[in-house]
Amino acid sequence: MPFAVFLGITFFQDRLGDSGRFWVYLVKTLAGAGMIWVIRPFIPEMRWKVSWAAVMWGVGVFVMWVGLDSFYPKLDQLMAQTGLARTRTAAEAAASLWNPHAHYGAGSLAAWFFIAVRLLGSSLVVPQMEEVFFRSFLYRYIVRPDFLSVPLHVFNWKAFFLTSLFFGLEHQEWLAGILCGFAYQGLVCLKGRLGDAITAHGITNLLLGLWILWRGAWHFW
């Protein structure tokens, strides 16, 4: 339910005007943090775990995500090619970017505030929400509806591929997302716990955010 609420708020992110995408992300981050605070006592596996494996996985997924970027069409491009969506003009694509500098002014206080919100939200809130839903709940539910009876280290091919596919299609960078799902789920199965994947996910998102700021690669957000 918290993940459904999180996605529901995301649905409105680009539907409330040019400023809406920034304010809705703030609301989503605060709501996500609040829900995590409430549900954390009831989900014992929702614990950050720092390990060398988590660090290596996090850095590796970041390198893969950025390195693959120019080699495949993104989700909106695929949908346009198959007639499921309208092809956007270059101006529409530029206007849709999540870029506070372009909206509030380069170097403005408001721009840096929303950038800080995005960095904190993507690095601290999103990893916990997504890892618990995809790697703890959905993966094990596909294995067996009584998912709490399935240990985290259990490997199942069907659950492994379906969960990663769903995770990938949640992102514009669908191919990188699927491979990312393979990596994080593999780490959970390897370690038999969720915390390493939460940490790896947080490291990936933090590095990606810093890359976006350094390179101006706003399309990743």
Side-chain angles (χ1 to χ4, degrees), residues 110-185:
W112 283 113
F113 170 74
F114 285 110
I115 286 171
V117 169
R118 184 89 190 214
L119 281 174
L120 290 173
S122 63
S123 303
L124 299 177
V125 175
V126 170
Q128 296 181 80
M129 295 288 290
E130 291 191 333
E131 292 307 309
V132 167
F133 178 77
F134 285 102
R135 254 60 75 177
S136 176
F137 165 67
L138 184 60
Y139 176 87
R140 295 193 291 173
Y141 185 84
I142 293 172
V143 175
R144 189 182 307 143
D146 181 18
F147 67 96
L148 290 177
S149 66
V150 180
L152 286 167
H153 64 78
V154 168
F155 181 81
N156 178 279
W157 281 108
K158 178 182 177 182
F160 186 80
F161 279 104
L162 286 179
T163 303
S164 299
L165 177 63
F166 295 151
F167 181 77
L169 294 178
E170 188 192 21
H171 302 81
Q172 281 291 334
E173 299 82 8
W174 58 273
L175 178 57
I178 292 173
L179 297 177
C180 175
F182 290 161
Y184 295 156
Q185 191 67 63

Side-chain angles (χ1 to χ4, degrees), residues 49-60 183 187 190-191 193 196-197 199-200 203:
K49 179 65 177 178
V50 179
S51 66
W52 283 112
V55 173
M56 290 189 295
W57 257 252
V59 174
L187 184 58
L190 176 67
K191 291 291 187 178
R193 61 193 181 207
D196 302 81
T199 300
I203 290 172

Side-chain angles (χ1 to χ4, degrees), residues 4 19 43 66 68 70-71 74 82 87 100 104 112 122 130 140 163 167 189 197 207 211 218:
S19 296
I43 306 179
V66 172
L68 283 178
S70 61
F71 292 100
K74 304 307 179 287
T82 56
T87 302
Y104 291 102
W112 283 113
S122 63
E130 291 191 333
R140 295 193 291 173
T163 303
F167 181 77
C189 293
L207 292 176
W211 176 267
W218 300 102

